[in-house]
Amino acid sequence: MSSSFLEQPALDPPPGVVPDFVNTGGYHNFGYGLIIGTSVVSTVAVLARLVSSASMRKLLIEDVLLVAALGVFAGNQYITYDLSIYPGFWTHQWNIQNGFLPHFLYNVHLGAVFYGPTSLLIKVSILVNWLRIFVPKGTRGPTFWVLHTLLWTNVFFYFITTVTEIVRCDPREKIWNPFFEGGSCPINVEDQNIATSVINFISDSTILAAPQWVIWKLQMSRSRKWGLSLLFVIGIGAWVFGVVRLVYFIKLLSSDDATFLFSGVALWTILEVTTGFLIMGIPAFPRAARMLPMSDSVANFFQSLWSRSGLSNTQISTPQWQFYKPKSRRRRGLWEISEMDTHNMLSVSSTGGNSNNNQVNTTTGGNESDDAMKTHDDPTGTQIV
């Protein structure tokens, strides 16, 4: 392959446009800001979860999965940073040379490989946490089967798509080198990526709807149901970002300007994954905030915001017991809830709220037994009165 060919534009420019391989027109600072901002937000969300668990001297499986997801996500952030350096976000393909195209496509391939495990670890973490929150131990109701179906479907699907992405061409260099002669690519990567996006859409939609389905079956006032629903509304962000990512990916399949449209795929993928970390991290923020200096001021800030939003009567937080010590009779704060309250809420959700004997416990005291407290154990996940 001649050096003159490698120095030519990777795509014929439109009439009247002169390729510029130095000033590509890409947005470098946008890429840096996106990577730094989403990395900080994701890390803070995971740290909040870990600090919350540490305060209870308990590390849950979803915490470990979340840390692993953050590690894989760091790999994706690195390759996006590399592309931000050159050619930059939203660079047209005629402003890069043929010689750079294999490097660009190799990073695209790595991004596809990193995306599967990252999404899988986050979704499994969310689903395991919601099984802990919404399904009482020993029960096999509709919520149990829906969440387990989602969990194992995601495990199977992401495992298959990640493996096929890695081995889709023989030899593998043909995946990222369009100038490689010989070999074969028997797997249709376009159909696979469309299937991945569609499965993500269905999965995200179901994950978004599952807690709302449980919450709106509870026996409590409509205003309190709205308050609880808003705690899980962050999932709408992941759903929206996933839909926009699918739109950009479909456009990418029908366009020759891959470097330009791939910027949209990368942008919305990063935002989708970051929102997944927030789904797990936000419920842990109140407890983590109490571990910081001036925690009372931080808690008062949260409480003032909650009061102004009209949700001051909705009590949401994590349990305050430790080693099953008896509870004090003091009035509970905004961010406090007992394990007995959670167990009663779960009893209502599992029976559809039709039994008069299963009422949501809204008392401020209570003579909870140790056995009742042990039935549902989630010191860091969201607990609902």
Side-chain angles (χ1 to χ4, degrees):
M1 188 176 300
S2 64
S3 59
S4 60
F5 174 79
L6 296 178
E7 293 173 356
Q8 292 177 5
L11 181 67
D12 292 334
V17 175
V18 178
D20 189 342
F21 305 134
V22 178
N23 300 312
T24 63
Y27 293 90
H28 307 284
N29 292 334
F30 173 83
Y32 303 150
L34 172 69
I35 294 162
I36 294 173
T38 53
S39 297
V40 169
V41 170
S42 300
T43 303
V44 169
V46 174
L47 288 177
R49 180 85 194 179
L50 295 177
V51 169
S52 179
S53 294
S55 69
M56 299 301 298
R57 296 184 174 89
K58 194 162 200 174
L59 187 66
L60 301 175
I61 182 63
E62 49 264 48
D63 301 330
V64 177
L65 294 172
L66 211 60
V67 172
L70 186 64
V72 182
F73 184 53
N76 184 81
Q77 295 290 74
Y78 174 78
I79 63 173
T80 309
Y81 175 76
D82 181 63
L83 294 177
S84 298
I85 296 175
Y86 186 86
F89 267 72
W90 308 110
T91 297
H92 290 289
Q93 192 164 319
W94 54 78
N95 285 332
I96 68 171
Q97 297 171 304
N98 282 325
F100 180 77
L101 199 56
H103 176 77
F104 172 80
L105 294 176
Y106 181 71
N107 280 336
V108 172
H109 168 64
L110 288 181
V113 172
F114 287 140
Y115 176 75
T118 304
S119 295
L120 173 61
L121 290 167
I122 292 176
K123 289 184 179 181
V124 171
S125 177
I126 293 171
L127 292 169
V128 169
N129 185 245
W130 287 2
L131 280 168
R132 190 185 307 276
I133 293 173
F134 294 115
V135 179
K137 290 182 180 179
T139 64
R140 296 293 185 270
T143 305
F144 172 89
W145 293 113
V146 168
L147 294 179
H148 264 282
T149 300
L150 280 172
L151 192 157
W152 295 109
T153 299
N154 277 281
V155 169
F156 177 79
F157 180 77
Y158 280 113
F159 176 78
I160 294 297
T161 55
T162 301
V163 171
T164 53
E165 174 63 32
I166 294 173
V167 301
R168 62 185 173 91
C169 288
D170 182 30
R172 293 191 61 245
E173 183 182 351
K174 195 172 180 65
I175 297 175
W176 60 83
N177 188 351
F179 313 120
F180 184 88
E181 297 180 358
S184 63
C185 296
I187 297 175
N188 189 324
V189 68
E190 295 181 358
D191 291 345
Q192 174 178 296
N193 285 328
I194 291 178
T196 299
S197 298
V198 172
I199 291 294
N200 279 339
F201 172 78
I202 297 173
S203 175
D204 291 346
S205 300
T206 310
I207 290 175
L208 177 64
Q212 304 298 331
W213 179 69
V214 175
I215 289 170
W216 286 93
K217 290 171 62 181
L218 301 180
Q219 296 180 4
M220 60 175 62
S221 67
R222 181 174 293 273
S223 62
R224 298 187 70 190
K225 289 180 181 179
W226 277 111
L228 298 177
S229 296
L230 289 176
L231 187 63
F232 295 89
V233 80
I234 187 65
I236 294 178
W239 183 85
V240 171
F241 297 148
V243 171
V244 179
R245 175 184 178 274
L246 174 60
V247 171
Y248 268 94
F249 186 80
I250 292 176
K251 290 182 177 180
L252 176 63
L253 296 179
S254 59
S255 173
D256 294 327
D257 196 357
T259 57
F260 184 83
L261 288 173
F262 179 75
S263 297
V265 176
L267 166 64
W268 298 108
T269 297
I270 290 173
L271 293 178
E272 178 189 9
V273 172
T274 301
T275 307
F277 286 112
L278 287 176
I279 292 174
M280 290 295 291
I282 284 180
F285 282 162
R287 177 178 290 278
R290 288 198 295 271
M291 303 292 291
L292 301 174
M294 302 178 64
S295 60
D296 291 340
S297 299
V298 176
N300 290 334
F301 172 74
F302 276 113
Q303 186 168 359
S304 65
L305 289 180
W306 208 260
S307 298
R308 287 198 296 269
S309 67
L311 302 174
S312 57
N313 291 328
T314 302
Q315 297 177 344
I316 304 173
S317 183
T318 51
Q320 298 298 298
W321 56 270
Q322 192 171 14
F323 302 117
Y324 302 109
K325 291 181 180 179
K327 293 182 178 293
S328 64
R329 294 291 183 174
R330 64 180 176 82
R331 182 178 179 81
R332 291 185 300 181
L334 175 67
W335 304 106
E336 296 182 66
I337 182 171
S338 70
E339 285 294 291
M340 175 62 80
D341 294 333
T342 304
H343 180 63
N344 287 347
M345 183 278 292
L346 293 169
S347 298
V348 174
S349 65
S350 62
T351 58
N354 295 325
S355 173
N356 294 329
N357 294 328
N358 291 325
Q359 300 292 331
V360 178
N361 188 345
T362 58
T363 61
T364 58
N367 297 320
E368 297 91 337
S369 68
D370 288 351
D371 292 338
M373 288 193 218
K374 294 178 182 178
T375 58
H376 195 69
D377 186 8
D378 179 23
T380 57
T382 305
Q383 302 292 329
I384 306 174
V385 174

